[in-house]
Amino acid sequence: DTEVTQTPKHLVMGMTNKKSLKCEQHMGHRAMYWYKQKAKKPPELMFVYSYEKLSINESVPSRFSPECPNSSLLNLHLHALQPEDSALYLCASSQSAGTDYEQYFGPGTRLTVT
Amino acid sequence: AQSVTQLDSQVPVFEEAPVELRCNYSSSVSVYLFWYVQYPNQGLQLLLKYLSGSTLVKGINGFEAEFNKSQTSFHLRKPSVHISDTAEYFCAVRGPSGGSYIPTFGRGTSLIVHP
């Protein structure tokens, strides 16, 4: 099983809502990532978890709050978002955050903030 | 730190023609190089990767890439494209950054295959 799953596929939320994105992998990978991707742009790294600990936070606003409850799950909690946060949010995993391990990407959650 | 340059934002080509998507990188240390494909409304899928060894790397869907250290390039090629190859292609480099190997993506090249 080389699949990374993400739910929901689409999400529309208002600026005062609280919602969560979920990502799951069962490949035994110990590194998990959140990316934000705007249309026609490359993915921008947001967070990296290594062995369930947050190892990298790329200066992401606090309205985005990641959580890694166990080695298979990664959540992204959203609160008080802005319309400019509308994007495709991609989750990825790799065997480790080190060296050459390739990343496996999920299909993404298309987020629209109204 | 490393960087990636994809020179072409869009490459139009006719079906069954060959194609080359260009990627140049810069880094002061050894890096690992990747090409990903993204179909509309989907995540990224790994096409191929260069870690070490043979400089010619073969990937899925008939794609290949050649690592050229002297020219710091990792161009992607396919001898005969299909309509289904229409997608966004990202070159990525992965090198050391504070104990982790964080990938840096190029801006992407949109491959448009015409019948």
Side-chain angles (χ1 to χ4, degrees):
Chain A
D1 181 8
T2 57
E3 193 179 18
V4 176
T5 59
Q6 289 187 245
T7 54
K9 284 179 107 60
H10 301 275
L11 178 63
V12 179
M13 61 185 288
M15 289 190 284
T16 58
N17 291 159
K18 282 186 181 181
K19 296 285 185 185
S20 296
L21 309 184
K22 181 180 170 182
C23 172
E24 197 164 1
Q25 58 87 13
H26 294 287
M27 295 178 276
H29 288 174
R30 302 315 299 268
M32 296 185 78
Y33 312 75
W34 279 116
Y35 287 88
K36 174 183 177 181
Q37 186 181 28
K38 296 287 244 183
K40 300 293 184 186
K41 297 287 186 185
E44 297 172 33
L45 184 66
M46 300 174 74
F47 303 104
V48 180
Y49 272 84
S50 181
Y51 290 86
E52 295 145 62
K53 292 196 185 321
L54 183 64
S55 63
I56 293 178
N57 176 340
E58 292 287 301
S59 303
V60 178
S62 60
R63 57 185 183 267
F64 295 91
S65 175
E67 179 198 18
C68 190
N70 60 56
S71 59
S72 300
L73 273 176
L74 185 66
N75 298 319
L76 185 63
H77 302 298
L78 314 171
H79 173 55
L81 294 193
Q82 303 296 310
E84 60 264 29
D85 296 322
S86 298
L88 181 68
Y89 287 84
L90 294 165
C91 173
S93 71
S94 64
Q95 192 169 342
S96 158
T99 62
D100 58 354
Y101 295 116
E102 66 191 74
Q103 292 178 306
Y104 291 81
F105 283 83
T109 294
R110 177 75 59 188
L111 174 68
T112 303
V113 181
T114 61
Chain B
Q2 60 267 355
S3 66
V4 179
T5 302
Q6 289 183 249
L7 293 163
D8 306 301
S9 60
Q10 206 172 77
V11 172
V13 65
F14 286 106
E15 195 173 20
E16 296 183 11
V19 71
E20 178 181 83
L21 306 184
R22 296 181 292 170
C23 173
N24 287 90
Y25 71 93
S26 67
S27 176
S28 57
V29 297
S30 294
V31 293
Y32 306 102
L33 296 157
F34 305 82
W35 273 100
Y36 288 89
V37 60
Q38 186 175 31
Y39 299 103
N41 299 312
Q42 294 188 29
L44 277 69
Q45 180 183 8
L46 182 70
L47 274 178
L48 47 78
K49 60 185 177 183
Y50 174 78
L51 307 178
S52 64
S54 172
T55 57
L56 184 62
V57 180
K58 293 193 183 295
I60 63 171
N61 301 344
F63 284 93
E64 64 180 34
E66 184 150 22
F67 171 64
N68 188 319
K69 189 173 182 179
S70 62
Q71 297 186 9
T72 59
S73 68
F74 190 54
H75 299 333
L76 181 71
R77 300 185 183 102
K78 187 169 182 177
S80 175
V81 295
H82 302 289
I83 295 282
S84 58
D85 292 322
T86 295
E88 195 78 15
Y89 291 79
F90 292 98
C91 181
V93 62
R94 196 164 181 181
S97 174
S100 291
Y101 278 69
I102 300 305
T104 300
F105 287 88
R107 65 171 180 171
T109 297
S110 183
L111 175 63
I112 302 167
V113 182
H114 297 288

